Amino acid sequence: MKLLLKYVSLFSFVILGKCASAQNGLPAVNNTFNKQNMDSQMDRQTPLAMWDFRSDHNNSTNNPEYTFLVTMLNGSKKEVKSRIYVDAYIHKSYLVFIDQSLSKADTNREQTIYPEQTIEIARNIASSSTKKSAGVSSAPIYYAGIAKDSCWMFKFISGPINAYSLLSDPEGKMFNPKSIVAIQLNNGPIVQYNEENLRVMVGDDLDAIESIQWKNYLQAIKRYNRNSGKINKK
């Protein structure tokens, strides 16, 4: 019996030694799998993965699926029902068009549309901004986003300083300031939305400067536009 226990102990020791040796090679294998995993995740369609679009009034992501009227570079138009996605690898927004005329097995059924392939995208916001009378449909009100290098830009503030968002929700309950990407002074160039560019635009407007100091850039834009309007009325 003692001899049997001795052999069992020796066998267990050899097996455990081999397992330990094999585990020493696992980090490299795990690193490979982790990299493949990350690459796979980067390729997935993640709605605005680079930003956290959450509203104070609603904990759900404020990037719903809409039907966009897309104007392609050649002037043709197509309706695309999609969220505005972001490719985190190439840092570009895009829409996903599902061609219902093709079978699910067809690789062309799902098509990706990037800003540089289009002139603009627009959606009808009439239903959310006007009251409908019984049996009477409201006229369409299209809210357009112009195509730029990496995204479509929707002008949500018009004034001496224009402000642009990469989402198609006009300012309101669903609007998130984190979606602001660009600003423009009058008809000048559209530039990146940041403190430096905003300070140049507001000049010596004390109200706007105060808001900038508090890092409330959206309020600074509104104050500057309001004060400019008062000056123009004098």
Side-chain angles (χ1 to χ4, degrees), residues 81-153:
K81 189 175 183 180
S82 173
R83 290 180 172 85
I84 295 179
Y85 292 95
V86 165
D87 187 320
Y89 186 72
I90 62 174
H91 307 298
K92 285 188 177 183
S93 300
Y94 65 96
L95 302 177
V96 175
F97 173 61
I98 306 297
D99 191 339
Q100 302 290 351
S101 66
L102 301 177
S103 69
K104 292 184 178 180
D106 195 317
T107 56
N108 293 318
R109 176 181 168 86
E110 186 176 295
Q111 301 170 22
T112 302
I113 300 176
Y114 288 102
E116 66 265 25
Q117 298 172 279
T118 71
I119 297 173
E120 68 172 25
I121 63 174
R123 72 178 182 88
N124 182 11
I125 59 172
S127 59
S128 61
S129 61
T130 61
K131 294 182 179 179
K132 291 185 177 180
S133 303
V136 179
S137 59
S138 58
I141 301 174
Y142 285 105
Y143 185 40
I146 56 176
K148 291 296 181 181
D149 292 339
S150 61
C151 66
W152 293 278
M153 297 200 309

Coordinates of all heavy atoms in Angstrom, one line a residue, residues 81-153:
K81 N -32.4 54.1 -42.6 CA -32.9 54.0 -41.2 C -31.7 53.5 -40.4 O -31.3 52.3 -40.5 CB -34.1 53.1 -41.1 CG -34.7 53.1 -39.7 CD -36.0 52.3 -39.6 CE -36.6 52.4 -38.2 NZ -37.9 51.6 -38.2
S82 N -31.1 54.4 -39.6 CA -29.9 54.0 -38.9 C -29.6 54.9 -37.7 O -30.2 56.0 -37.6 CB -28.7 54.1 -39.8 OG -27.5 53.9 -39.2
R83 N -28.9 54.5 -36.8 CA -28.3 55.4 -35.8 C -27.0 56.0 -36.5 O -26.6 55.6 -37.5 CB -27.8 54.6 -34.5 CG -28.9 54.1 -33.7 CD -28.3 53.3 -32.5 NE -29.3 52.9 -31.5 CZ -30.1 51.8 -31.6 NH1 -29.9 51.0 -32.6 NH2 -31.0 51.6 -30.7
I84 N -26.5 57.0 -35.8 CA -25.2 57.6 -36.3 C -24.2 56.9 -35.5 O -24.0 57.0 -34.2 CB -25.1 59.1 -36.1 CG1 -26.2 59.8 -36.9 CG2 -23.7 59.6 -36.4 CD1 -26.2 61.3 -36.8
Y85 N -23.4 56.0 -36.1 CA -22.4 55.2 -35.5 C -21.1 55.9 -35.6 O -20.9 56.9 -36.3 CB -22.3 53.8 -36.1 CG -23.5 52.9 -36.0 CD1 -24.5 52.9 -36.9 CD2 -23.6 52.1 -34.8 CE1 -25.6 52.0 -36.8 CE2 -24.7 51.3 -34.6 CZ -25.7 51.3 -35.6 OH -26.8 50.4 -35.4
V86 N -20.1 55.4 -34.8 CA -18.7 55.9 -34.8 C -17.8 54.7 -35.0 O -17.9 53.8 -34.2 CB -18.4 56.7 -33.6 CG1 -16.9 56.9 -33.5 CG2 -19.1 58.1 -33.6
D87 N -16.9 54.8 -36.0 CA -15.9 53.8 -36.1 C -14.7 54.3 -35.2 O -14.0 55.3 -35.6 CB -15.5 53.7 -37.6 CG -14.5 52.6 -37.8 OD1 -13.6 52.4 -37.0 OD2 -14.6 51.9 -38.8
A88 N -14.5 53.6 -34.1 CA -13.5 54.1 -33.1 C -12.1 53.9 -33.7 O -11.2 54.5 -33.1 CB -13.7 53.3 -31.8
Y89 N -11.9 53.1 -34.7 CA -10.6 52.8 -35.2 C -10.1 53.9 -36.1 O -9.0 54.4 -36.1 CB -10.6 51.5 -36.0 CG -9.2 51.1 -36.4 CD1 -8.2 50.6 -35.5 CD2 -8.9 51.1 -37.8 CE1 -7.0 50.3 -35.9 CE2 -7.6 50.7 -38.2 CZ -6.6 50.3 -37.3 OH -5.4 49.9 -37.7
I90 N -11.0 54.4 -37.0 CA -10.7 55.4 -38.0 C -11.2 56.8 -37.6 O -11.1 57.8 -38.3 CB -11.1 55.1 -39.4 CG1 -12.6 55.0 -39.5 CG2 -10.4 53.8 -39.9 CD1 -13.1 54.8 -40.9
H91 N -12.0 56.8 -36.5 CA -12.5 58.1 -35.9 C -13.5 58.8 -36.9 O -13.3 59.9 -37.2 CB -11.4 59.0 -35.4 CG -10.5 58.4 -34.5 ND1 -10.8 57.9 -33.3 CD2 -9.1 58.1 -34.6 CE1 -9.8 57.4 -32.7 NE2 -8.7 57.5 -33.5
K92 N -14.4 58.0 -37.4 CA -15.4 58.6 -38.3 C -16.8 58.2 -38.0 O -17.0 57.0 -37.5 CB -15.1 58.2 -39.8 CG -13.9 58.9 -40.4 CD -13.8 58.6 -41.9 CE -12.6 59.4 -42.5 NZ -12.5 59.1 -44.0
S93 N -17.8 59.1 -38.2 CA -19.2 58.7 -38.1 C -19.6 57.9 -39.3 O -19.0 58.1 -40.4 CB -20.0 59.9 -37.9 OG -19.7 60.7 -36.8
Y94 N -20.7 57.1 -39.2 CA -21.2 56.5 -40.4 C -22.6 56.0 -40.1 O -23.1 55.9 -39.0 CB -20.3 55.3 -40.8 CG -20.2 54.1 -39.8 CD1 -21.0 53.0 -39.9 CD2 -19.3 54.2 -38.8 CE1 -21.0 52.0 -39.1 CE2 -19.2 53.1 -37.9 CZ -20.0 52.0 -38.0 OH -20.0 51.0 -37.1
L95 N -23.3 55.7 -41.2 CA -24.7 55.2 -41.2 C -24.6 53.7 -41.7 O -23.7 53.4 -42.5 CB -25.6 56.0 -42.0 CG -25.8 57.5 -41.7 CD1 -26.8 58.1 -42.7 CD2 -26.3 57.7 -40.3
V96 N -25.6 52.9 -41.3 CA -25.6 51.6 -41.8 C -26.9 51.5 -42.6 O -28.0 51.6 -42.1 CB -25.6 50.5 -40.7 CG1 -25.8 49.1 -41.3 CG2 -24.3 50.6 -40.0
F97 N -26.8 51.2 -43.9 CA -27.9 51.1 -44.8 C -28.2 49.6 -45.1 O -27.3 48.8 -45.5 CB -27.7 51.8 -46.2 CG -28.7 51.5 -47.2 CD1 -30.0 51.9 -47.0 CD2 -28.4 50.9 -48.4 CE1 -31.0 51.7 -48.0 CE2 -29.3 50.7 -49.4 CZ -30.6 51.1 -49.2
I98 N -29.4 49.2 -44.8 CA -29.8 47.8 -45.1 C -30.7 47.7 -46.3 O -31.8 48.3 -46.4 CB -30.7 47.2 -43.9 CG1 -29.9 47.3 -42.6 CG2 -31.0 45.7 -44.1 CD1 -28.6 46.6 -42.5
D99 N -30.1 47.1 -47.4 CA -30.8 47.0 -48.6 C -31.8 45.8 -48.6 O -31.4 44.7 -48.7 CB -29.8 46.8 -49.8 CG -30.4 46.9 -51.1 OD1 -31.7 46.8 -51.2 OD2 -29.7 47.2 -52.1
Q100 N -33.1 46.1 -48.3 CA -34.1 45.1 -48.1 C -34.3 44.3 -49.4 O -35.0 43.2 -49.3 CB -35.4 45.7 -47.7 CG -35.3 46.5 -46.4 CD -35.0 45.7 -45.2 OE1 -35.1 44.4 -45.2 NE2 -34.7 46.3 -44.0
S101 N -33.9 44.8 -50.6 CA -34.1 44.1 -51.8 C -33.2 42.9 -52.0 O -33.4 42.0 -52.8 CB -34.0 45.0 -53.0 OG -32.6 45.5 -53.1
L102 N -32.2 42.8 -51.1 CA -31.2 41.7 -51.2 C -31.4 40.7 -50.1 O -31.9 41.1 -49.0 CB -29.8 42.3 -51.1 CG -29.3 43.3 -52.1 CD1 -27.9 43.8 -51.9 CD2 -29.4 42.7 -53.6
S103 N -31.1 39.5 -50.3 CA -31.3 38.5 -49.3 C -30.3 38.6 -48.2 O -29.2 39.3 -48.3 CB -31.0 37.1 -49.9 OG -29.7 36.9 -50.3
K104 N -30.6 38.1 -47.0 CA -29.8 38.2 -45.8 C -28.4 37.5 -46.1 O -27.4 37.8 -45.4 CB -30.5 37.6 -44.6 CG -31.7 38.4 -44.2 CD -32.3 37.8 -42.9 CE -33.5 38.7 -42.5 NZ -34.1 38.1 -41.2
A105 N -28.3 36.6 -47.0 CA -27.1 35.9 -47.3 C -26.2 36.8 -48.2 O -25.0 36.5 -48.3 CB -27.4 34.6 -48.0
D106 N -26.7 37.8 -48.8 CA -25.9 38.7 -49.7 C -25.0 39.6 -48.9 O -25.5 40.3 -48.0 CB -26.9 39.5 -50.6 CG -26.1 40.1 -51.8 OD1 -25.0 40.6 -51.6 OD2 -26.7 40.1 -52.9
T107 N -23.7 39.6 -49.2 CA -22.8 40.4 -48.4 C -23.0 41.9 -48.7 O -22.5 42.8 -47.9 CB -21.3 40.1 -48.8 OG1 -21.2 40.2 -50.2 CG2 -21.0 38.6 -48.3
N108 N -23.7 42.3 -49.7 CA -24.0 43.7 -50.0 C -25.3 44.2 -49.4 O -25.6 45.4 -49.6 CB -24.1 43.9 -51.6 CG -22.7 43.7 -52.3 OD1 -21.7 44.1 -51.8 ND2 -22.8 43.0 -53.4
R109 N -26.0 43.4 -48.7 CA -27.2 43.8 -48.0 C -27.0 44.9 -47.0 O -27.8 45.8 -46.9 CB -27.9 42.6 -47.4 CG -29.1 42.9 -46.6 CD -29.7 41.6 -45.9 NE -30.8 41.9 -45.0 CZ -32.0 42.1 -45.3 NH1 -32.4 41.9 -46.6 NH2 -32.9 42.3 -44.4
E110 N -25.9 44.8 -46.3 CA -25.6 45.8 -45.2 C -24.4 46.7 -45.8 O -23.3 46.2 -46.0 CB -25.2 45.1 -43.9 CG -25.0 46.1 -42.8 CD -24.7 45.4 -41.5 OE1 -25.6 44.7 -41.0 OE2 -23.6 45.6 -41.0
Q111 N -24.7 48.0 -45.9 CA -23.7 48.9 -46.5 C -23.4 50.0 -45.5 O -24.3 50.5 -44.9 CB -24.2 49.5 -47.8 CG -24.6 48.4 -48.9 CD -25.3 49.0 -50.1 OE1 -25.2 50.2 -50.3 NE2 -26.0 48.1 -50.8
T112 N -22.1 50.4 -45.4 CA -21.7 51.4 -44.6 C -21.6 52.7 -45.4 O -20.9 52.7 -46.4 CB -20.3 51.1 -43.9 OG1 -20.5 49.9 -43.2 CG2 -19.9 52.2 -43.0
I113 N -22.1 53.8 -44.9 CA -22.1 55.1 -45.6 C -21.3 56.1 -44.7 O -21.7 56.4 -43.6 CB -23.5 55.7 -45.9 CG1 -24.3 54.7 -46.7 CG2 -23.4 57.0 -46.5 CD1 -25.7 55.1 -47.0
Y114 N -20.2 56.6 -45.2 CA -19.4 57.6 -44.5 C -19.6 59.0 -45.0 O -20.1 59.2 -46.1 CB -17.9 57.2 -44.7 CG -17.4 56.0 -44.0 CD1 -17.3 54.8 -44.6 CD2 -17.2 56.0 -42.6 CE1 -16.9 53.6 -44.0 CE2 -16.8 54.9 -41.9 CZ -16.6 53.7 -42.6 OH -16.2 52.6 -41.9
P115 N -19.3 60.0 -44.2 CA -19.6 61.4 -44.6 C -19.0 61.8 -46.0 O -19.7 62.5 -46.7 CB -18.9 62.2 -43.5 CG -19.0 61.3 -42.3 CD -18.8 59.9 -42.9
E116 N -17.8 61.3 -46.3 CA -17.2 61.7 -47.5 C -17.9 61.2 -48.8 O -17.6 61.6 -49.9 CB -15.7 61.3 -47.6 CG -15.4 59.8 -47.6 CD -15.2 59.3 -46.2 OE1 -15.7 59.9 -45.2 OE2 -14.5 58.2 -46.1
Q117 N -18.8 60.2 -48.6 CA -19.6 59.7 -49.7 C -20.8 60.5 -50.0 O -21.5 60.2 -50.9 CB -19.9 58.2 -49.4 CG -18.8 57.3 -49.3 CD -19.2 55.9 -48.8 OE1 -19.5 55.7 -47.6 NE2 -19.4 55.0 -49.8
T118 N -21.1 61.5 -49.1 CA -22.3 62.2 -49.2 C -22.1 63.7 -49.2 O -21.0 64.3 -48.9 CB -23.2 61.9 -47.9 OG1 -22.6 62.5 -46.7 CG2 -23.3 60.4 -47.7
I119 N -23.2 64.4 -49.6 CA -23.2 65.9 -49.5 C -23.8 66.3 -48.1 O -23.3 67.2 -47.4 CB -24.1 66.5 -50.6 CG1 -23.4 66.2 -52.0 CG2 -24.2 68.0 -50.4 CD1 -24.3 66.6 -53.2
E120 N -24.9 65.6 -47.7 CA -25.6 65.9 -46.5 C -26.5 64.7 -46.1 O -26.8 63.9 -47.0 CB -26.4 67.2 -46.5 CG -27.6 67.1 -47.4 CD -28.5 68.4 -47.3 OE1 -28.0 69.4 -46.9 OE2 -29.7 68.2 -47.6
I121 N -26.9 64.7 -44.9 CA -28.0 63.8 -44.4 C -29.0 64.7 -43.7 O -28.6 65.7 -43.1 CB -27.5 62.7 -43.5 CG1 -26.9 63.2 -42.2 CG2 -26.5 61.8 -44.2 CD1 -26.5 62.1 -41.2
A122 N -30.2 64.3 -43.7 CA -31.3 65.1 -43.1 C -32.4 64.2 -42.6 O -32.6 63.1 -43.1 CB -31.8 66.2 -44.1
R123 N -33.1 64.7 -41.6 CA -34.2 63.9 -41.1 C -35.4 64.9 -40.8 O -35.2 66.1 -40.5 CB -33.9 63.1 -39.9 CG -33.7 63.9 -38.6 CD -33.4 62.9 -37.4 NE -33.2 63.6 -36.2 CZ -34.2 63.9 -35.3 NH1 -35.5 63.6 -35.7 NH2 -34.0 64.5 -34.2
N124 N -36.6 64.4 -41.0 CA -37.8 65.2 -40.8 C -38.1 65.2 -39.3 O -38.3 64.2 -38.6 CB -39.0 64.5 -41.5 CG -40.2 65.3 -41.4 OD1 -40.2 66.4 -40.9 ND2 -41.3 64.7 -41.8
I125 N -38.0 66.5 -38.7 CA -38.3 66.6 -37.3 C -39.6 67.3 -37.0 O -39.9 67.7 -35.9 CB -37.2 67.5 -36.6 CG1 -37.1 68.9 -37.3 CG2 -35.8 66.8 -36.7 CD1 -36.2 69.9 -36.6
A126 N -40.5 67.3 -38.0 CA -41.8 67.9 -37.9 C -42.6 67.3 -36.8 O -43.3 68.0 -36.0 CB -42.5 67.9 -39.2
S127 N -42.6 66.0 -36.7 CA -43.4 65.3 -35.8 C -43.1 65.6 -34.3 O -43.9 65.5 -33.5 CB -43.3 63.7 -36.0 OG -42.0 63.3 -35.8
S128 N -41.8 65.9 -34.1 CA -41.4 66.2 -32.7 C -41.5 67.7 -32.4 O -41.3 68.1 -31.3 CB -40.0 65.7 -32.5 OG -39.1 66.3 -33.3
S129 N -41.7 68.6 -33.4 CA -41.7 70.0 -33.2 C -43.0 70.7 -33.5 O -43.1 71.9 -33.2 CB -40.5 70.6 -34.0 OG -40.8 70.4 -35.4
T130 N -43.9 70.0 -34.1 CA -45.2 70.6 -34.4 C -46.3 69.7 -34.0 O -46.2 68.5 -33.9 CB -45.3 70.8 -35.9 OG1 -45.3 69.6 -36.6 CG2 -44.3 71.7 -36.5
K131 N -47.4 70.4 -33.7 CA -48.6 69.6 -33.2 C -49.4 69.2 -34.5 O -49.6 69.9 -35.4 CB -49.5 70.4 -32.3 CG -48.9 70.8 -31.0 CD -49.8 71.6 -30.1 CE -49.2 71.9 -28.8 NZ -50.0 72.7 -27.9
K132 N -49.8 67.9 -34.5 CA -50.6 67.4 -35.6 C -52.1 67.4 -35.3 O -52.5 67.0 -34.2 CB -50.2 65.9 -35.9 CG -48.7 65.8 -36.4 CD -48.5 64.3 -36.7 CE -47.1 64.1 -37.3 NZ -46.8 62.7 -37.6
S133 N -52.8 68.0 -36.3 CA -54.2 68.0 -36.1 C -54.8 66.6 -36.6 O -54.1 65.9 -37.4 CB -54.9 69.1 -37.0 OG -54.3 70.3 -36.7
A134 N -55.9 66.2 -36.1 CA -56.5 64.9 -36.4 C -56.7 64.8 -37.9 O -57.4 65.6 -38.5 CB -57.8 64.8 -35.7
G135 N -56.1 63.8 -38.5 CA -56.2 63.5 -39.9 C -55.5 64.4 -40.8 O -55.6 64.3 -42.0
V136 N -54.7 65.3 -40.3 CA -53.9 66.2 -41.1 C -52.4 66.0 -40.8 O -52.0 66.2 -39.7 CB -54.3 67.7 -40.8 CG1 -53.4 68.6 -41.7 CG2 -55.7 67.9 -41.1
S137 N -51.6 65.7 -41.8 CA -50.2 65.5 -41.6 C -49.5 66.8 -41.8 O -49.8 67.6 -42.6 CB -49.7 64.5 -42.6 OG -49.9 64.9 -43.9
S138 N -48.5 67.0 -40.9 CA -47.7 68.2 -41.0 C -46.7 68.2 -42.1 O -46.2 67.2 -42.5 CB -47.0 68.5 -39.6 OG -46.1 67.4 -39.4
A139 N -46.4 69.4 -42.6 CA -45.3 69.5 -43.7 C -44.0 69.1 -43.1 O -43.7 69.4 -41.9 CB -45.3 70.9 -44.2
P140 N -43.2 68.5 -43.9 CA -41.8 68.0 -43.4 C -40.9 69.2 -43.1 O -41.0 70.2 -43.7 CB -41.3 67.2 -44.5 CG -42.0 67.7 -45.8 CD -43.4 68.1 -45.3
I141 N -40.2 69.1 -42.0 CA -39.2 70.1 -41.6 C -37.9 69.3 -41.5 O -37.7 68.5 -40.6 CB -39.5 70.7 -40.2 CG1 -40.9 71.4 -40.3 CG2 -38.4 71.7 -39.8 CD1 -41.3 72.0 -39.0
Y142 N -37.0 69.5 -42.5 CA -35.8 68.7 -42.5 C -34.7 69.4 -41.8 O -34.4 70.6 -42.0 CB -35.4 68.5 -44.0 CG -36.2 67.4 -44.6 CD1 -37.2 67.8 -45.6 CD2 -36.1 66.1 -44.3 CE1 -38.0 66.8 -46.2 CE2 -36.8 65.1 -44.9 CZ -37.8 65.5 -45.8 OH -38.6 64.5 -46.4
Y143 N -34.0 68.7 -40.9 CA -32.9 69.1 -40.1 C -31.7 68.5 -40.7 O -31.5 67.3 -40.6 CB -33.1 68.8 -38.7 CG -32.0 69.3 -37.7 CD1 -31.5 70.5 -37.8 CD2 -31.6 68.5 -36.6 CE1 -30.5 71.0 -36.9 CE2 -30.6 68.9 -35.7 CZ -30.1 70.2 -35.9 OH -29.2 70.6 -35.0
A144 N -30.8 69.3 -41.4 CA -29.7 68.7 -42.2 C -28.4 68.8 -41.5 O -28.1 69.8 -40.8 CB -29.7 69.4 -43.5
G145 N -27.6 67.8 -41.8 CA -26.2 67.8 -41.3 C -25.3 67.8 -42.5 O -25.4 66.9 -43.4
I146 N -24.4 68.8 -42.6 CA -23.5 68.9 -43.7 C -22.3 67.9 -43.5 O -21.8 67.7 -42.4 CB -22.9 70.3 -43.9 CG1 -22.2 70.8 -42.6 CG2 -24.0 71.2 -44.3 CD1 -21.6 72.2 -42.8
A147 N -21.9 67.3 -44.6 CA -20.8 66.3 -44.5 C -19.4 67.0 -44.4 O -19.1 67.9 -45.2 CB -20.8 65.4 -45.8
K148 N -18.7 66.6 -43.4 CA -17.3 67.0 -43.2 C -16.4 65.8 -43.2 O -16.9 64.6 -43.5 CB -17.2 67.8 -41.9 CG -17.9 69.1 -42.0 CD -17.3 70.0 -43.0 CE -17.9 71.4 -43.0 NZ -17.3 72.3 -44.1
D149 N -15.1 66.0 -43.0 CA -14.2 64.9 -43.1 C -14.5 63.6 -42.2 O -14.5 62.5 -42.7 CB -12.8 65.3 -42.7 CG -12.2 66.3 -43.7 OD1 -12.7 66.3 -44.8 OD2 -11.3 67.1 -43.4
S150 N -14.9 63.9 -41.0 CA -15.1 62.8 -40.1 C -16.5 62.6 -39.6 O -16.8 61.6 -38.9 CB -14.2 62.9 -38.9 OG -14.5 64.1 -38.2
C151 N -17.4 63.5 -39.9 CA -18.8 63.4 -39.3 C -19.7 64.3 -40.1 O -19.3 65.1 -41.0 CB -18.8 63.8 -37.8 SG -18.4 65.5 -37.5
W152 N -21.0 64.2 -39.8 CA -22.0 65.1 -40.3 C -22.2 66.2 -39.2 O -22.4 65.8 -38.0 CB -23.3 64.4 -40.7 CG -23.2 63.5 -41.8 CD1 -23.2 63.9 -43.2 CD2 -23.0 62.1 -41.8 NE1 -23.1 62.7 -43.9 CE2 -22.9 61.6 -43.1 CE3 -22.9 61.2 -40.8 CZ2 -22.8 60.3 -43.5 CZ3 -22.7 59.8 -41.1 CH2 -22.6 59.4 -42.4
M153 N -22.3 67.5 -39.6 CA -22.4 68.5 -38.6 C -23.8 69.2 -38.7 O -24.1 69.7 -39.8 CB -21.3 69.5 -38.7 CG -19.9 68.9 -38.4 SD -18.6 70.1 -38.0 CE -18.8 71.3 -39.3

